[in-house]
């Protein structure tokens, strides 16, 4: 009988280990890509970032915050894919589109669209409620976009 009880306890411990082998609440550990997605979209799969309330924008090291004071970008990730929506982008971003990681780089994204920020490698870093986007808009042949060419840094604040 004692041997049977020992097997029972070993079985319970093994089942507990299997059930707890993962993250909190028995959930599986998140992959590096899932963690990177969550840095942009939050745990709910949708977060909005803004220049308002303390964010800033520079182009080639010169302050541009006033031109983008009401800028917002929402990153979304769900079962249908990864998308974004912007407001008040002064023709730098498309109003909406899709986003993807740049290859295996989980700290760089590419936005779809036709505006100057689209199809560029955008580096991002998140520190608590702050998100930094950095990228270069090269000077193309047409005059409209040439005015927007430069190295951009958007320091955004999480909208709550």
């Amino acid at each position: 009988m004692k041997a049977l009880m020992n097997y029972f306890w070993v079985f319970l411990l093994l089942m507990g280990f299997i059930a707890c082998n993962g993250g909190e609440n028995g959930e599986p550990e998140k992959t590096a890509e899932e963690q990177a997605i969550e840095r942009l979209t939050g745990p709910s799969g949708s977060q909005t970032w803004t220049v308002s309330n303390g964010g800033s924008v520079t182009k080639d090291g010169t302050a541009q915050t006033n031109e983008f004071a009401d800028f917002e970008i929402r990153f979304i990730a769900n079962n249908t894919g990864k998308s974004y929506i912007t407001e008040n982008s002064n023709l730098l971003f498309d109003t909406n589109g899709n986003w993807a990681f740049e290859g295996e780089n989980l700290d760089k994204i590419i936005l779809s669209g036709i505006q100057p920020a689209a199809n560029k490698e955008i580096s991002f870093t998140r520190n608590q409620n702050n998100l930094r986007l950095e990228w270069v808009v090269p000077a193309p042949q047409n005059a409209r976009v040439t005015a927007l060419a430069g190295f951009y840094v958007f320091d955004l604040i999480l909208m709550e």
Side-chain angles (χ1 to χ4, degrees):
M1 183 70 168
K2 186 175 180 181
L4 185 58
M5 286 300 289
N6 286 338
Y7 286 122
F8 175 73
W9 287 113
V10 169
F11 175 74
L12 282 179
L13 286 171
L14 182 60
M15 293 309 293
F17 175 76
I18 291 169
C20 292
N21 191 14
E24 293 180 24
N25 301 322
E27 297 174 9
E29 295 281 333
K30 292 182 180 166
T31 66
E33 182 174 358
E34 289 169 332
Q35 292 173 20
I37 290 169
E38 199 168 289
R39 284 195 299 274
L40 291 172
T41 67
S44 69
S46 177
Q47 272 185 334
T48 301
W49 301 90
T50 183
V51 172
S52 302
N53 301 322
S56 65
V57 177
T58 61
K59 177 181 146 195
D60 296 328
T62 302
Q64 302 286 307
T65 304
N66 289 341
E67 287 78 18
F68 295 95
D70 296 323
F71 173 77
E72 295 178 5
I73 187 166
R74 175 180 293 261
F75 290 102
I76 303 161
N78 55 37
N79 294 338
T80 60
K82 298 184 214 67
S83 59
Y84 72 93
I85 301 168
T86 67
E87 291 185 27
N88 306 310
S89 73
N90 289 341
L91 302 176
L92 186 59
F93 294 84
D94 289 82
T95 56
N96 60 63
N98 296 312
W99 66 272
F101 290 110
E102 171 57 21
E104 299 297 315
N105 296 312
L106 299 178
D107 61 349
K108 294 176 178 31
I109 57 172
I110 302 277
L111 305 177
S112 67
I114 59 170
Q115 296 297 352
N119 304 305
K120 308 294 183 292
E121 185 178 280
I122 300 174
S123 296
F124 75 92
T125 53
R126 179 175 179 175
N127 184 2
Q128 296 179 345
N129 291 338
N130 301 298
L131 179 70
R132 175 175 275 214
L133 304 177
E134 298 180 9
W135 76 100
V136 173
V137 175
Q141 303 305 317
N142 70 48
R144 179 184 75 83
V145 182
T146 299
L148 294 174
F151 174 68
Y152 285 88
V153 177
F154 274 59
D155 285 312
L156 304 171
I157 307 298
L158 178 62
M159 265 181 88
E160 300 189 47

